[in-house]
Amino acid sequence: AQAAEKITVGALRFTSHSPSFIAKERGYFADQGIEVEFKFFQAAQPMAMAIASGDVDFGITAITGGLISLAEKGAVKVVGGALQEEPGVDGMLILASKKAFEEGLVSPANLKGRSYGVTTIGSSFHYTAHNIADKEGFARSDIKIRPMQKVGAMIAGIKSGQLDAISMVPHIAKALAASSQVFVIGEVVDYIPDYQVTTVFTSPTVIREKSELVKKFLVAFSRGAHDFNQTLVEKKASAEEQEAMIKLIHKYVYADRPFKKAAPAIRNGAMRINENASLNLKSIEDQLNWFKSENLVSKDITIETLVDTQFVEMSHH
Amino acid sequence: MQTKKSKQLKLFENLAKKSLREPEVQVKRPIRFRGGGFVIKPMPWVPPLVFTALIAFWEVGSRSGFISNLVLPAPSEAAQAFIDLAHSGLLIKHVKASLYRLVVGWTIGSLLGVTFGMLIGLFSIARASLFPLVSAIFPIPKIALLPLFVIWFGIGEGSKIATILFGSFFPVVIASYGGVQNVDRNLIRMGQSFNLSWFSIVRKIILPGALPAILSGFRISASIAIILLVAAEMIGAEYGIGAYVLTAGSLFATDQLIAGVAMLSILGLIVSWLIGKAEKALLRWRS
Amino acid sequence: MQTKKSKQLKLFENLAKKSLREPEVQVKRPIRFRGGGFVIKPMPWVPPLVFTALIAFWEVGSRSGFISNLVLPAPSEAAQAFIDLAHSGLLIKHVKASLYRLVVGWTIGSLLGVTFGMLIGLFSIARASLFPLVSAIFPIPKIALLPLFVIWFGIGEGSKIATILFGSFFPVVIASYGGVQNVDRNLIRMGQSFNLSWFSIVRKIILPGALPAILSGFRISASIAIILLVAAEMIGAEYGIGAYVLTAGSLFATDQLIAGVAMLSILGLIVSWLIGKAEKALLRWRS
Amino acid sequence: MELHLNNIGHKYNNLDVLKEISFSIRQGEIACIIGPSGCGKSTLLRIMGGLETATCGDVYISGEIPSNTINPLTFVFQDFALLPWRSVEANISLVLEDHPIPTVQRKEIIDSVLARTKLSDFKKALPKQLSGGMKQRVAIARALAVNPAFMLLDEPLSALDSQTRELLMSDLIDLWQRENFTACYVTHNLNEAVRLGHKIIVLSRRPGTIRRIVEIPIPLEERHNHLAELEYSQQVLWNLMRDEALAADRELSNAD
Amino acid sequence: MELHLNNIGHKYNNLDVLKEISFSIRQGEIACIIGPSGCGKSTLLRIMGGLETATCGDVYISGEIPSNTINPLTFVFQDFALLPWRSVEANISLVLEDHPIPTVQRKEIIDSVLARTKLSDFKKALPKQLSGGMKQRVAIARALAVNPAFMLLDEPLSALDSQTRELLMSDLIDLWQRENFTACYVTHNLNEAVRLGHKIIVLSRRPGTIRRIVEIPIPLEERHNHLAELEYSQQVLWNLMRDEALAADRELSNAD
Ligand SMILES: Nc1ncnc2c1ncn2[C@@H]1O[C@H](COP(=O)(O)OP(=O)(O)OP(=O)(O)O)[C@@H](O)[C@H]1O
Ligand SMILES: Nc1ncnc2c1ncn2[C@@H]1O[C@H](COP(=O)(O)OP(=O)(O)OP(=O)(O)O)[C@@H](O)[C@H]1O
Ligand SMILES: [Mg+2]
Ligand SMILES: [Mg+2]
């Protein structure tokens, strides 16, 4: 057999990156004749940068203004889909602070004139907020966007009542709501159906020079995603199998905590990853248009600049 | 005694034989001036030259493709972004917001820093209790504490000013403490011999003696304060150069990013120039 | 002349009448010692006390709910997180990775900083060309430059060390430059009068004279280097205290966050203690 | 104001510097201390002025402290101890500022002492712009400004040319006659010692002990009429010092 | 080695310090400079040593530079200029280290000059542990260590007690006889001037001009046999200085 091809995959230590971890641990990458080395990042931005610089071959991250700009410069391209919002599966929740809740912020419809925490301008949180405004029929500028940079700061802001509302991944959101200092007032999926949250991306050079490699990567990744969905999202597997998979993921996520503490966080953080890495092009287009409408990216960018559609199935829900 | 002297004489003679000095001619030679050097002469035309040359090189490099346009846009592109910003009318809002935070945070932080530095330099108990605390808290990254700052100081101006305040406080503490330690003890003794009050000695002998070090600390703390504008404006800031840079960064709008960074640089240059003026005025007494 | 003298005499007499001094009794009184104070005595038992007290207060405050558990977990929780980390076997990997980056980056940065600070203090042309550059580049936030660092130095150790290197470089430049400026010019003249080589004067007179300021700069730069661990380990770091803190922060695991921050603090304390030792050894000559 | 030393001894680390020093300086008396370089004269003066604590022994003062003095026990330091960041004027002002003296009077005092030390032209000069002798005169002017009851002078005229020294010496004698201050005067100039001292304390080489106390009973103001006696006293002192030096030399050669 | 000054003038900012100074110092000659405090003696010495450039006029040297000297033109500074971070020994070593002298010989030179200045016991002491006079002796020892051909001495004995001064003075005379160095010696001690100077240059008060050059034609080694002549010369100098001082006083009173 041919010597395995070495590639580098950028990852964050989040449960949503599990498909790659599973594919590696279960030898799906090896089956495709590729040997994967992970490079861990603390934020999506440097990961995109590393793809651009050629230090990393594949990455998984949300569609952000930064990613689109890099695509415009010919540095990255989206080749597949990963995390997607889906009715019926626990997704991002919309939260209100206790103070705001008591003042009447009991539904996203009341967000007019309220402050809303996001990580950065042009992040998925920002996009969510504007979709709520659009759907509820008030001006986007009526929601006061507060960039907080870090999820930690957003949580501190909502808990201390300095932010009226935020959206948050389910396992953290539920934990927060349990403290009854924060109230769940809605679900993101109601406002952005079939929201394609994260995507698989690589550099145009890799596509040009090794398009076979992209295909192989996506195949292995999809197998990992399938296992993940089956075991932890749809929970079709036995308790032991679930346990085994959580153990596998624990090697990468919450590794510095004892398994007992890490397991619930991993279990609750599981959201569906697209089967076959299929990509919801419609959702990507919506997002791109939103970025354009907010002047966050250049008006000249087309969907072709951002996405290479040759590798996976494009759904158009 | 005599033996010792002649020994040295011999040494010198041996040395002379070894040395390769040529016999010198019997003419008048002007005394060579050897007191030169080690004096800094102002060369006001050099800095503009350096900056112009650098920017020109960068522009040419960018245009010729020698410098990759991926992350480092040409200066002209950054200038265009700056002009756009100015036209949008937001420039003044950004600068105003940042300057306010900077001035308030840095002033309070630096003054507190001098105070604590002096305390630590003057009192054994302060040295023993506060200095380890300073050493322990200084290395804590402000960014890691942002969630705490949100709780303690809110997401308004409070947390922003606090970030800058903390950032400028610590270097000034250490610089002032170092300065106090370096004050000539003979001068303090003189003050004591004239029964100057403790407060007079501190104000008139120790503080001026530590001033060179304190000003050097101010230089450092001012730069750090500017750096921390970005960290400070991470939380809920609508306007501010830091917020502008952050947004540019997250959108990967490199032209705006460079324009913002250039603003921070210019701010740094201005502050450095001001401190230079202060040094010239306050440290005239140095030989 | 005589008129002047008697004028002063009168002044003193007037002053005397105004003063409220009581006539003193004709007994032997020991001379009051007035040369005291202004000397720092070591109090080695104080720092542990302070830290213990603080942590105890915090623990009690957390347990009683007086300190909201919202973002500041009790020290015992942080300690538990630390123990978990140690048990997971990752602690050593984190610490090792960070220490390596810290030592390499800080050493190179500080040595370069001293070199540049000396150059700027010694040569007018360096002062005119490099110092404005330093003033312009120092205030640029490293975080804004991370993308550039990724391109220039890759995502391996290079960019991490570069971040720390840059961070420690600038404060040391400014501190060393300040130190050189403060060296007694008479000593330099003495060196010149003995025809010491330029290099000897720099090495034997200027460098030791600037040493107190340089060490003070090292204190600052070491703390900044530790702070920058977090920024440095944003990029592709698998292990490292900074990466640990960042992960904890992004997962809002406050107990781990505090455990990580405490490690940084302790690192800072150790470095400060080491520099204190160096000061004691190298600056014995100060009165 | 009188000063008494009782069995003073001092050590720096393990270096014996002073040993068994006892003497008194009576009200209105000027005591001169002479002794070889490094024998502990400056140290002794610091002990007398309360700037250093002797390793053993006691220092007392007795007698009334005149009420018209701003700083009863005043130093003139061997190394001048001028604040480099203050002008000549401000260096003198420094020691007056802590006292409730109206600004106008403070200015008058400063002008007066500057005129007496011939520094009026250099009022605004910084110490770095002064010559060695001028710095010493500023230090003297500063001490005069507080109208001391007891002066501790550490080689106050050593950097001065002979005729400035003459002038300042007669100025000191004048001042002493008017104010009748008490003083301890360290010098290495035997002529100064016999001109100014009521009592000359000769210290041995380190560790400094008292070798002899020579009293000169001629009133200060009449000394210029008794040059022969002074010459004789100076000779006595010189012999004492020479013996000390020879002894030291002998010791050194033995150690070789 | 000879030194020639030609119409030297110097200003600090707008302060005239020296004016129209011209004289020569011949090979093997010791020239003493005396003059009122602040008249520009140290400045003149710095100009002669190449440490300061005169505002106008020229300084030349001529004659052969002896080959056995490490630093031909050597200073002894008025303020000692010792490195506070170096021990006595290392302060002297400093000026030898730049020359290719074997370590053993360097040690021997250091030991020799320390013995001659009676500092052997304080080899390892730091400057902060020395008395004023000891610091001055270190400065002299350092100058002797380089075996200078031309010495520029700025009040080198001012902080020393009289008998240490005597010893160092006869040491200097000894050294001069053996090495026949040339020197310019600033002092305010007229006795030193007449004992050591072949030629005594009397400067007026600031701005310093040459008031008189007094030559003393008695060989140095015989001067102790000609005390009366020396006394006479000293008296002449004293009168010159006094006149200068009186003139200055008159000016000051007029200015009042
Ligand atoms: N750096 C300087 N800047 C300005 N003026 C100076 C400076 N150095 C010296 N002067 C002035 O020059 C004059 C001569 O100074 P110099 O040190 O040469 O005197 P001097 O004759 O050596 O006096 P002394 O016997 O007191 O040492 C003084 O009036 C002094 O105020
Ligand atoms: N801080 C110190 N630490 C250690 N030793 C010291 C210290 N100060 C002085 N000495 C030593 O004490 C001795 C006496 O010093 P002191 O200054 O009192 O001498 P002195 O009699 O004033 O000499 P001089 O006439 O040279 O000024 C010296 O041998 C000196 O080395
Ligand atoms: Mg002394
Ligand atoms: Mg002088």
Side-chain angles (χ1 to χ4, degrees):
Chain A
Q2 245 185 326
E5 192 169 358
K6 283 191 180 138
I7 61 164
T8 311
V9 173
L12 306 179
R13 291 184 182 276
F14 288 158
T15 313
S16 57
H17 285 248
S18 296
S20 309
F21 306 145
I22 296 167
K24 161 135 181 161
E25 292 294 321
R26 298 200 167 160
Y28 302 158
F29 284 127
D31 291 349
Q32 298 295 322
I34 45 187
E35 186 185 330
V36 162
E37 187 199 340
F38 289 117
K39 279 282 173 203
F40 290 94
F41 289 83
Q42 302 300 333
Q45 182 77 10
M47 180 156 71
M49 230 16 261
I51 298 256
S53 73
D55 285 294
V56 166
D57 298 310
F58 295 93
I60 291 117
T61 186
I63 300 280
T64 60
L67 193 76
I68 298 171
S69 292
L70 277 173
E72 186 197 9
K73 292 196 162 77
V76 300
K77 227 167 181 111
V78 170
V79 292
L83 193 75
Q84 186 173 8
E85 289 280 349
E86 182 187 278
V89 177
D90 277 352
M92 301 276 278
L93 298 176
I94 302 164
L95 305 175
S97 74
K98 187 174 181 196
K99 185 166 135 264
F101 188 81
E102 282 164 358
E103 284 167 7
L105 181 62
V106 293
S107 143
N110 307 337
L111 268 173
K112 191 171 176 176
R114 293 290 178 173
S115 66
Y116 189 95
V118 303
T119 51
T120 57
I121 301 295
S123 63
S124 56
F125 299 99
H126 192 186
Y127 178 65
T128 305
H130 280 185
N131 272 285
I132 295 171
D134 291 350
K135 198 137 195 177
E136 295 292 349
F138 48 86
R140 289 172 179 179
S141 58
D142 281 343
I143 297 186
K144 291 194 206 114
I145 298 297
R146 292 270 178 268
M148 305 295 285
Q149 309 305 326
K150 305 244 168 209
V151 171
M154 283 167 65
I155 296 171
I158 193 98
K159 272 182 152 186
S160 60
Q162 307 198 53
L163 293 173
D164 293 329
I166 58 169
S167 51
M168 188 51 57
V169 290
H171 63 285
I172 297 180
K174 283 179 196 158
L176 285 172
S179 73
S180 81
Q181 281 165 312
V182 170
F183 295 86
V184 177
I185 57 170
E187 286 184 54
V188 171
V189 72
D190 297 337
Y191 293 90
I192 322 172
D194 304 314
Y195 180 13
Q196 183 72 57
V197 184
T198 66
T199 59
V200 180
F201 63 103
T202 182
S203 75
T205 321
V206 172
I207 295 177
R208 208 175 327 111
E209 290 169 5
K210 309 178 200 169
S211 68
E212 275 312 300
L213 177 66
V214 181
K215 284 180 191 147
K216 288 182 195 164
F217 175 82
L218 287 170
V219 168
F221 179 81
S222 303
R223 285 178 72 187
H226 177 78
D227 287 5
F228 180 76
N229 288 339
Q230 291 295 311
T231 315
L232 293 181
V233 180
E234 293 174 12
K235 302 204 167 76
K236 285 184 180 150
S238 65
E240 292 79 49
E241 274 178 78
Q242 287 187 29
E243 181 91 358
M245 176 161 291
I246 290 173
K247 271 212 170 100
L248 184 161
I249 295 169
H250 181 231
K251 275 172 81 174
Y252 297 92
V253 183
Y254 301 120
D256 38 27
R257 291 192 201 182
F259 181 74
K260 259 209 316 279
K261 283 190 198 170
I266 294 172
R267 198 186 303 272
N268 294 334
M271 284 171 71
R272 183 181 298 284
I273 310 293
N274 291 4
E275 292 284 339
N276 298 322
S278 69
L279 190 66
N280 184 347
L281 203 59
K282 167 79 172 36
S283 173
I284 304 285
E285 266 169 6
D286 286 348
Q287 292 181 51
L288 182 59
N289 288 334
W290 173 75
F291 279 108
K292 288 183 189 170
S293 69
E294 285 293 304
N295 268 330
L296 296 172
V297 300
S298 157
K299 296 249 190 284
D300 313 330
I301 301 173
T302 60
I303 189 83
E304 287 76 28
T305 330
L306 180 61
V307 184
D308 193 319
T309 51
Q310 62 170 305
F311 296 102
V312 297
E313 174 195 340
M314 297 291 146
S315 56
H316 299 272
H317 291 289
Chain B
M1 211 86 187
Q2 195 58 37
T3 55
K4 259 195 187 166
K5 283 184 201 167
S6 45
K7 223 185 206 169
Q8 194 193 346
L9 197 64
K10 240 193 189 146
L11 280 178
F12 284 129
E13 274 154 12
N14 288 340
L15 195 69
K17 270 177 219 141
K18 274 182 221 150
S19 91
L20 295 172
R21 260 181 252 206
E22 297 178 37
E24 314 200 26
V25 219
Q26 286 256 11
V27 291
K28 285 193 176 188
R29 300 178 298 281
I31 293 260
R32 195 171 48 78
F33 178 59
R34 46 185 178 171
F38 304 108
V39 173
I40 296 294
K41 276 162 283 165
M43 299 178 153
W45 76 95
V46 171
L49 218 85
V50 169
F51 282 105
T52 314
L54 262 181
I55 292 172
F57 170 79
W58 176 4
E59 180 74 39
V60 170
S62 288
R63 296 214 176 181
S64 70
F66 167 69
I67 296 173
S68 148
N69 208 26
L70 181 58
V71 280
L72 207 55
S76 53
E77 292 175 49
Q80 188 53 50
F82 182 79
I83 292 169
D84 291 348
L85 179 66
H87 281 168
S88 74
L90 292 178
L91 175 64
I92 294 170
K93 282 188 183 173
H94 284 313
V95 172
K96 248 189 182 164
S98 286
L99 269 188
Y100 169 73
R101 287 160 196 157
L102 211 54
V103 170
V104 176
W106 180 80
T107 309
I108 302 178
S110 292
L111 290 185
L112 278 180
V114 172
T115 313
F116 274 76
M118 301 278 292
L119 286 178
I120 291 172
L122 290 171
F123 297 107
S124 301
I125 183 72
R127 168 72 182 74
S129 59
L130 294 179
F131 197 63
L133 278 184
V134 166
S135 307
I137 300 176
F138 188 2
I140 296 178
K142 311 298 157 297
I143 307 179
L145 293 186
L146 279 185
L148 281 183
F149 278 32
V150 171
I151 301 282
W152 291 339
F153 305 108
I155 58 171
E157 289 304 300
S159 62
K160 298 173 188 69
I161 289 174
T163 307
I164 292 173
L165 193 156
F166 271 75
S168 14
F169 174 75
F170 291 103
V172 175
V173 171
I174 287 176
S176 314
Y177 167 58
V180 171
Q181 278 186 302
N182 225 13
V183 173
D184 187 353
R185 298 288 126 174
N186 285 337
L187 295 181
I188 296 176
R189 272 204 176 155
M190 182 276 293
Q192 293 177 318
S193 83
F194 278 99
N195 278 338
L196 297 199
S197 67
W198 179 88
F199 190 68
S200 277
I201 292 180
V202 170
R203 196 162 59 87
K204 296 173 186 171
I205 300 181
I206 296 181
L207 191 60
L211 201 58
I214 293 176
L215 285 175
S216 189
F218 280 179
R219 260 190 206 283
I220 296 175
S221 75
S223 290
I224 292 181
I226 297 174
I227 290 181
L228 285 178
L229 263 184
V230 170
E233 292 173 356
M234 277 187 168
I235 326 162
E238 196 165 1
Y239 297 114
I241 306 177
Y244 178 74
V245 166
L246 278 167
T247 305
S250 66
L251 296 175
F252 210 74
T254 46
D255 50 347
Q256 292 182 15
L257 185 74
I258 297 293
V261 163
M263 282 192 263
L264 296 178
S265 272
I266 291 168
L267 214 57
L269 276 173
I270 294 172
V271 170
S272 160
W273 179 81
L274 285 175
I275 293 178
K277 286 277 146 199
E279 276 178 351
K280 233 179 228 149
L282 295 172
L283 306 181
R284 263 181 320 118
W285 50 270
R286 293 203 290 199
S287 53
Chain C
M1 211 92 190
Q2 195 56 37
T3 55
K4 262 195 185 164
K5 283 182 202 170
S6 43
K7 225 185 206 170
Q8 194 193 345
L9 197 65
K10 240 191 190 149
L11 280 178
F12 285 128
E13 274 154 13
N14 287 341
L15 194 68
K17 271 175 219 143
K18 275 181 220 151
S19 96
L20 296 170
R21 261 179 252 208
E22 294 179 39
E24 313 199 29
V25 220
Q26 286 256 10
V27 292
K28 285 193 175 188
R29 300 178 298 280
I31 293 264
R32 193 173 49 79
F33 177 59
R34 46 184 178 172
F38 303 106
V39 174
I40 296 294
K41 275 163 283 164
M43 298 179 153
W45 75 96
V46 172
L49 219 86
V50 169
F51 282 105
T52 315
L54 262 181
I55 292 172
F57 170 79
W58 176 5
E59 180 75 39
V60 170
S62 288
R63 297 213 177 180
S64 71
F66 167 69
I67 295 174
S68 148
N69 209 22
L70 230 151
V71 280
L72 203 57
S76 53
E77 293 174 50
Q80 187 52 51
F82 181 79
I83 292 167
D84 289 346
L85 178 65
H87 282 167
S88 75
L90 292 177
L91 175 63
I92 293 169
K93 284 187 181 172
H94 285 314
V95 171
K96 248 190 183 165
S98 286
L99 269 188
Y100 168 73
R101 287 160 197 155
L102 212 53
V103 170
V104 176
W106 180 80
T107 309
I108 302 178
S110 292
L111 290 185
L112 278 181
V114 172
T115 312
F116 274 77
M118 301 278 293
L119 285 180
I120 291 172
L122 289 172
F123 298 107
S124 301
I125 184 72
R127 168 70 182 76
S129 59
L130 295 178
F131 196 63
L133 278 184
V134 166
S135 307
I137 300 175
F138 189 1
I140 297 179
K142 309 299 156 296
I143 307 179
L145 293 186
L146 279 186
L148 277 182
F149 280 23
V150 171
I151 297 289
W152 290 341
F153 305 107
I155 57 166
E157 291 304 300
S159 58
K160 300 175 188 67
I161 289 175
T163 308
I164 292 172
L165 193 155
F166 270 72
S168 11
F169 174 74
F170 291 104
V172 175
V173 171
I174 288 176
S176 313
Y177 167 58
V180 171
Q181 279 186 303
N182 225 13
V183 172
D184 187 353
R185 298 288 126 173
N186 286 338
L187 296 181
I188 296 176
R189 273 205 175 154
M190 181 277 292
Q192 295 178 316
S193 83
F194 278 99
N195 278 339
L196 296 199
S197 67
W198 179 88
F199 190 68
S200 278
I201 292 181
V202 170
R203 195 162 60 87
K204 296 173 186 170
I205 300 181
I206 296 181
L207 192 60
L211 200 60
I214 292 176
L215 285 175
S216 189
F218 280 178
R219 262 190 204 283
I220 295 175
S221 75
S223 291
I224 291 182
I226 297 174
I227 290 181
L228 285 179
L229 266 184
V230 171
E233 291 173 357
M234 276 188 170
I235 330 159
E238 191 160 6
Y239 298 113
I241 306 177
Y244 177 74
V245 166
L246 280 166
T247 309
S250 63
L251 298 172
F252 205 67
T254 47
D255 50 347
Q256 293 187 6
L257 185 76
I258 296 294
V261 163
M263 282 191 263
L264 295 178
S265 271
I266 290 167
L267 214 57
L269 276 173
I270 293 173
V271 170
S272 161
W273 179 81
L274 285 175
I275 293 178
K277 286 276 146 200
E279 275 177 351
K280 231 178 230 150
L282 295 173
L283 306 182
R284 262 181 319 116
W285 50 270
R286 291 202 291 200
S287 53
Chain D
M1 191 170 168
E2 311 200 332
L3 199 140
H4 314 272
L5 281 89
N6 186 11
N7 204 21
I8 291 293
H10 197 67
K11 276 178 191 231
Y12 283 113
N13 309 321
N14 283 323
L15 188 77
D16 254 318
V17 173
L18 290 169
K19 232 173 173 172
E20 299 166 12
I21 307 268
S22 303
F23 62 86
S24 293
I25 303 175
R26 285 188 301 272
Q27 161 63 32
E29 193 176 53
I30 298 181
C32 287
I33 300 183
I34 61 173
S37 159
C39 75
K41 303 182 293 296
S42 299
T43 308
L44 185 59
L45 219 56
R46 281 200 295 272
I47 292 171
M48 289 163 71
L51 289 185
E52 195 133 11
T53 338
T55 316
C56 66
D58 321 287
V59 200
Y60 292 107
I61 48 172
S62 65
E64 201 179 327
I65 294 173
S67 54
N68 62 347
T69 174
I70 296 180
N71 185 44
L73 208 61
T74 296
F75 258 98
V76 177
F77 289 89
Q78 190 172 9
D79 63 354
F80 321 140
L82 302 182
L83 300 185
W85 47 85
R86 284 191 168 221
S87 66
V88 166
E89 179 181 43
N91 256 291
I92 296 169
S93 171
L94 173 81
V95 300
L96 301 171
E97 284 162 10
D98 270 14
H99 300 272
I101 305 168
T103 316
V104 185
Q105 301 196 356
R106 191 160 67 212
K107 285 228 169 86
E108 280 176 9
I109 295 178
I110 294 172
D111 286 343
S112 145
V113 294
L114 283 180
R116 276 147 76 186
T117 47
K118 305 214 179 313
L119 283 168
S120 304
D121 287 356
F122 289 89
K123 227 168 139 167
K124 305 278 177 208
L126 288 170
K128 69 166 176 177
Q129 300 171 317
L130 299 180
S131 75
M134 287 155 88
K135 282 183 206 159
Q136 200 162 45
R137 282 183 277 154
V138 178
I140 294 171
R142 183 174 57 189
L144 293 179
V146 293
N147 199 33
F150 196 118
M151 284 233 251
L152 297 158
L153 303 121
D154 200 351
E155 318 200 1
L157 308 179
S158 65
L160 294 176
D161 59 289
S162 24
Q163 108 286 4
T164 308
R165 185 184 345 212
E166 275 305 322
L167 287 171
L168 280 175
M169 223 155 33
S170 57
D171 214 43
L172 272 177
I173 296 177
D174 271 13
L175 194 75
W176 176 81
Q177 281 183 284
R178 274 188 291 114
E179 324 269 327
N180 201 22
F181 60 79
T182 316
C184 186
Y185 189 106
V186 169
T187 178
H188 46 259
N189 186 317
L190 300 184
N191 182 259
E192 258 170 58
V194 297
R195 288 277 299 283
L196 283 178
H198 295 102
K199 172 196 269 173
I200 295 161
I201 297 155
V202 184
L203 293 188
S204 71
R205 69 188 184 289
R206 185 174 50 78
T209 54
I210 296 182
R211 262 194 55 92
R212 185 83 66 88
I213 298 186
V214 178
E215 306 247 359
I216 303 187
I218 314 165
L220 289 195
E221 59 278 22
E222 283 169 30
R223 295 215 173 161
H224 52 276
N225 299 327
H226 296 76
L227 291 178
E229 281 109 315
L230 291 187
E231 185 60 36
Y232 172 75
S233 301
Q234 197 172 334
Q235 199 57 48
V236 169
L237 293 174
W238 173 239
N239 290 339
L240 276 170
M241 299 283 283
R242 165 142 287 180
D243 291 354
E244 198 55 44
L246 287 179
D249 240 17
R250 221 170 302 124
E251 231 170 56
L252 259 171
S253 332
N254 290 348
D256 259 5
Chain E
M1 193 170 165
E2 311 200 333
L3 200 141
H4 314 272
L5 281 90
N6 185 11
N7 203 20
I8 292 291
H10 195 69
K11 276 178 191 232
Y12 283 114
N13 309 323
N14 284 321
L15 189 76
D16 255 317
V17 173
L18 291 169
K19 231 176 175 171
E20 299 166 13
I21 307 267
S22 303
F23 63 85
S24 294
I25 303 176
R26 283 188 301 273
Q27 161 63 30
E29 194 177 52
I30 298 182
C32 288
I33 300 183
I34 61 172
S37 160
C39 75
K41 304 182 292 295
S42 300
T43 308
L44 186 59
L45 219 55
R46 280 199 297 272
I47 291 172
M48 289 163 70
L51 289 185
E52 195 133 11
T53 337
T55 316
C56 66
D58 321 287
V59 200
Y60 292 106
I61 46 171
S62 64
E64 202 178 325
I65 294 173
S67 53
N68 63 345
T69 173
I70 295 180
N71 185 44
L73 208 63
T74 296
F75 258 97
V76 177
F77 290 89
Q78 189 170 10
D79 64 353
F80 321 141
L82 302 182
L83 300 186
W85 47 85
R86 284 193 170 221
S87 67
V88 166
E89 181 181 41
N91 257 291
I92 297 168
S93 171
L94 172 81
V95 299
L96 300 173
E97 284 163 10
D98 271 13
H99 299 271
I101 305 168
T103 317
V104 185
Q105 301 196 356
R106 191 160 69 212
K107 285 224 167 88
E108 281 175 11
I109 296 178
I110 294 172
D111 285 343
S112 144
V113 295
L114 284 179
R116 276 148 76 186
T117 47
K118 304 211 179 315
L119 283 168
S120 305
D121 288 357
F122 289 88
K123 226 168 139 166
K124 305 276 177 210
L126 288 171
K128 69 166 177 178
Q129 299 170 320
L130 300 180
S131 75
M134 288 156 89
K135 282 183 205 157
Q136 200 162 48
R137 282 183 277 153
V138 179
I140 295 170
R142 184 174 57 188
L144 293 179
V146 293
N147 198 34
F150 196 119
M151 284 234 251
L152 297 159
L153 302 122
D154 201 353
E155 317 199 1
L157 308 178
S158 66
L160 294 175
D161 59 290
S162 24
Q163 107 288 2
T164 308
R165 188 190 336 219
E166 275 303 322
L167 287 170
L168 279 175
M169 225 159 26
S170 56
D171 214 42
L172 273 176
I173 295 175
D174 273 12
L175 194 74
W176 177 82
Q177 282 182 282
R178 273 188 292 113
E179 324 267 328
N180 200 24
F181 60 78
T182 316
C184 186
Y185 189 106
V186 170
T187 179
H188 46 259
N189 186 316
L190 300 183
N191 184 257
E192 259 170 57
V194 297
R195 287 276 301 282
L196 282 178
H198 294 102
K199 173 197 266 172
I200 296 161
I201 297 156
V202 185
L203 293 187
S204 70
R205 67 190 187 287
R206 186 174 50 78
T209 53
I210 295 184
R211 259 191 60 90
R212 185 83 65 89
I213 298 185
V214 178
E215 306 248 359
I216 303 187
I218 312 163
L220 290 194
E221 60 277 21
E222 284 171 27
R223 295 213 172 163
H224 52 274
N225 299 327
H226 295 76
L227 291 179
E229 281 108 315
L230 291 188
E231 185 59 38
Y232 172 75
S233 301
Q234 197 171 336
Q235 200 56 48
V236 170
L237 293 174
W238 173 238
N239 289 338
L240 277 171
M241 300 281 285
R242 165 141 288 179
D243 289 354
E244 200 54 44
L246 287 179
D249 241 18
R250 222 170 302 126
E251 234 170 55
L252 260 170
S253 329
N254 290 347
D256 257 4

